[in-house]
Amino acid sequence: MVLGRERLAQLFRPYGEMDSGESSRLLPQASQLTELPQSSDDDDDISLLGDADDPMAKHDLEEWCPALCKPNAFTHCVQHLAFLWNLLFLLLGLLTLAIGVWGLLAKGERLAPLGSDPMLLFVLAGLGASTVSLAGCLGALRSSSCLLRFFVGAVLAFVGLEVLGGLLLLLARQRLRDALQDALLLCMLRYQEEPDLRFLVDEVQRSLRCCGLSSYRDWESNPYFNCSAPGVQACSVPASCCLDPRQNGSIANDQCAFGVLQLGDMEAAGVVHLGGCVVQLGAWLRAQAGGIAIGAAVLVLLEATGLLLALKVLADIAPGGARG
């Protein structure tokens, strides 16, 4: 280093202080210094990293970051499991949507207002489930962070609504009981007009062995069963209220309850069920509280599983650069 500095000092001495022989000897050396190539910091960085197109440089880079450049087998397994998980719920959602659309189209001219049609619930539930599951499928398949974030947000919203519904069941039981009674009254008033409501009411009355809301005489509020109605169903109740709705145990007898509202309670007790369905339905719901709680827990567990799979896929694609 000392010799190098002295050599540089000799080269850069003022030209006037040198004699003619020394100046003629140093000029060619100085010209060689001026012709040296200049290097920048960027060139040094590039030389350290290697050429981007060089296969050896790429090989060295993969050796430095194997975890980021090459997803392991567990990552691929989680990604495919998330895809299959969401594909299953996509198929279930499409099936629910198809049932709802079929129920709406099967009515034809008897299509009721959508606000009171039970098939609308199937359509909305199937549409929501299939949309969210499709986003989860595509997000897991294409490693799309945008779709996966949408899926995670939608699942969290569903879980929040379910928790809110459970809290309402616990805190507003009396109001829900009144709302249930109003819904059953609406079903009774539209019994002949909407086949879905008629099927629902008949199944409830057959299964719980009840008739009407609080008693069988609640059917007088129906315009077709009222005693002032002009039709043949006047002063009657649905056949699902009968003690034995089948004649001789095999053939359905739709006229088993004709004229029962003209009878007294003692005579009517031998033909139809006198008790209402509100009390019976409340008792049935209380008896099924354990099963309902288990079903809700299983649903939340399934949603949590899909949520965890989506979060794991998001975490795996984040280091390598998420694709939108």
Side-chain angles (χ1 to χ4, degrees), residues 14 41 49 55 69 104 125 144 174 181 186 196-197 246 249 257 260 268 272:
D41 295 338
L49 293 178
C69 300
L104 292 176
S144 173
Q174 183 59 42
Q181 186 171 352
L186 178 64
D196 299 326
L197 296 181
R246 295 185 179 273
V260 73
V272 297

Side-chain angles (χ1 to χ4, degrees), residues 79 82-83 85-87 89-90 127-155 158 306 310 313-314:
Q79 186 174 3
F83 170 76
W85 189 269
N86 288 285
L87 180 62
F89 284 94
L90 174 61
L127 186 61
S130 58
T131 301
V132 175
S133 299
L134 179 61
C137 282
L138 296 179
L141 184 63
R142 300 186 58 82
S143 298
S144 173
S145 60
C146 179
L147 291 175
L148 288 174
R149 290 191 183 100
F150 170 77
F151 173 78
V152 170
V155 172
F158 286 158
V313 175
L314 268 175

